[in-house]
Amino acid sequence: MYSITYVSKATEDYSQAQLLALLEVCHRNNLRDKLTGQLLYKDREFMQVLEGDEMVLKRVFEKICRDKRHKNILILDEGFIQQREFDDWSMGFNNLDEELQHHIPGYSDILNYPLTGHEFQAQPSLAQKLLLSFKSPPPPV
């Protein structure tokens, strides 16, 4: 099992409808390719973790790198993993621009960092922590 976590900057703002359309395509493709993961969007920035077969994942990531909808792709973490962290998610998704407008149980300053910020580059484990924080739905308020 292999995993890649990366960040990138969107070349334009995404509406909620555009994000949902992107998610639908990711969902379909990831089911086909047996990939799992999580996608975050905030302030025109993406953070994504993908998990799956190494050869398949590297082929998909090459396609992501050629996608003109984003730029400044930076790999935060890459390598073999013992097991999937997002095994039930063909593609989990959170729009943090929307999320931040609401009270989030367990709110952390990590949500204030730009997704492409130096904090995540310096400590890739922070990216994993952020992505995993959205793995389960928040408890009822």
Side-chain angles (χ1 to χ4, degrees):
M1 195 62 45
Y2 203 75
S3 175
I4 296 176
T5 302
Y6 73 92
V7 292
S8 67
K9 181 78 172 173
T11 55
E12 61 183 54
D13 286 327
Y14 275 72
S15 69
Q16 187 68 12
Q18 288 172 307
L19 288 169
L20 292 175
L22 174 64
L23 180 61
E24 185 178 319
V25 171
C26 291
H27 222 0
R28 184 178 62 242
N29 292 345
N30 289 351
L31 281 171
R32 179 196 64 217
D33 295 335
K34 298 182 175 93
L35 298 178
T36 55
Q38 174 74 276
L39 176 66
L40 303 179
Y41 177 80
K42 176 185 173 196
D43 299 330
R44 291 182 59 187
E45 297 176 336
F46 290 101
M47 178 182 286
Q48 184 172 33
V49 60
L50 288 168
E51 308 164 326
D53 175 79
E54 179 185 13
M55 296 290 283
V56 172
L57 186 51
K58 286 187 175 183
R59 178 181 47 80
V60 168
F61 188 69
E62 286 176 13
K63 185 177 176 185
I64 289 169
C65 289
R66 291 189 305 270
D67 190 324
K68 300 293 185 204
R69 293 176 289 184
H70 59 137
K71 60 185 179 179
N72 302 336
I73 297 172
L74 176 67
I75 295 174
L76 298 178
D77 192 32
E78 176 180 13
F80 291 98
I81 56 175
Q82 293 293 319
Q83 64 185 29
R84 294 177 190 260
E85 291 285 352
F86 300 93
D87 55 340
D88 293 333
W89 300 65
S90 60
M91 183 46 59
F93 171 74
N94 279 280
N95 179 351
L96 299 184
D97 287 340
E98 296 289 321
E99 291 285 341
L100 292 176
Q101 296 174 10
H102 306 289
H103 171 72
I104 299 175
Y107 179 84
S108 168
D109 281 341
I110 197 170
L111 293 173
N112 290 327
Y113 300 155
L115 297 180
T116 58
H118 70 278
E119 295 87 357
F120 294 115
Q121 295 172 35
Q123 295 182 42
S125 63
L126 282 179
Q128 185 74 359
K129 179 181 174 184
L130 177 61
L131 290 158
L132 284 171
S133 72
F134 291 97
K135 184 175 176 180
S136 301
V141 179

